Amino acid sequence: MPHRPHLPDLPLAPPLPDEVPEPIRSRAAIGGHPLHPMLIHFPVAALIGLVAVDAGWWLTADPFWARAGLWLAGVGAGGGWLASAMGLVDLLSVRRIREKITAWCHALIAVMMLSAASLNWLVRLRAEDGVALAGPWLSLLTAVLIALAGYLGGRLVYEHAVGVHHKSRPVEAHAPPGAAAAEAEGRSGA
């Protein structure tokens, strides 16, 4: 077996910057957990899945794909509006979020995406065969807008610490009274 040179141990993730941004708490949260990121997963999955369902319909013309597309478009649009309402609460009620141009761009693209998704659902609802010619194109447009909104949402979380709790800079609140003292006592007694 040939000799392999020893490679240095590299960290699995890049180190945190020297100055971690101060976390920005969400006002639309339960137990300190922001609602917007919790609610957005199902509508995003439905609207991205709609692209594959449209491809299935386009290739087979099977009515199953038309019915599945109608349901995915409805769940995606309805769930997306619900999730975006939680994001809107944060955008309008938290000054530090309102000050970020990234937040406004994220919101604008999300509204454009939800408008396309809602139009897609309405077009499908009124189509004779369940899928209008515009449906698959609206699905692709929606998927592109989801990618852009997701990128900007990721920047809000990872660069601006919106709704994030850093261990190096804890967010106060949501701990029951006396929890800090009990935790400190547990560390010193161990």
Side-chain angles (χ1 to χ4, degrees):
M1 188 173 210
H3 178 308
R4 294 184 186 203
H6 176 69
L7 297 175
D9 291 330
L10 298 175
L12 295 176
L16 287 174
D18 291 339
E19 187 174 315
V20 177
E22 183 178 339
I24 302 174
R25 293 189 51 201
S26 170
R27 293 240 170 102
I30 295 176
H33 300 285
L35 292 172
H36 176 68
M38 279 192 261
L39 295 173
I40 202 65
H41 296 293
F42 287 113
V44 165
L47 293 171
I48 296 295
L50 186 55
V51 174
V53 166
D54 283 347
W57 176 80
W58 198 285
L59 293 171
T60 67
D62 187 341
F64 165 79
W65 296 116
R67 284 191 312 276
L70 175 66
W71 279 96
L72 286 175
V75 166
W81 284 110
L82 176 65
S84 69
M86 298 301 110
L88 185 62
V89 167
D90 285 340
L91 181 65
L92 297 178
S93 68
V94 180
R95 178 188 51 81
R96 290 181 55 217
I97 295 175
R98 275 195 317 272
E99 292 173 347
K100 307 224 174 289
I101 189 72
T102 305
W104 288 101
C105 292
H106 173 73
L108 179 64
I109 291 172
V111 167
M112 291 176 3
M113 180 271 302
L114 287 169
S115 298
S118 299
L119 177 62
N120 195 350
W121 178 68
L122 288 172
V123 163
R124 290 167 189 273
L125 195 59
R126 296 178 185 260
E128 293 282 328
D129 62 355
V131 178
L133 184 59
W137 297 111
L138 286 169
S139 298
L140 285 174
L141 173 62
T142 301
V144 168
L145 292 171
I146 286 171
L148 290 172
Y151 168 75
L152 292 171
R155 286 192 59 192
L156 286 169
V157 171
Y158 293 107
E159 292 177 17
H160 302 289
V162 174
V164 172
H165 170 72
H166 288 296
K167 290 184 182 203
S168 63
R169 187 176 277 189
V171 178
E172 310 110 25
H174 305 340
E183 184 180 327
E185 183 179 322
R187 275 187 270 153
S188 65

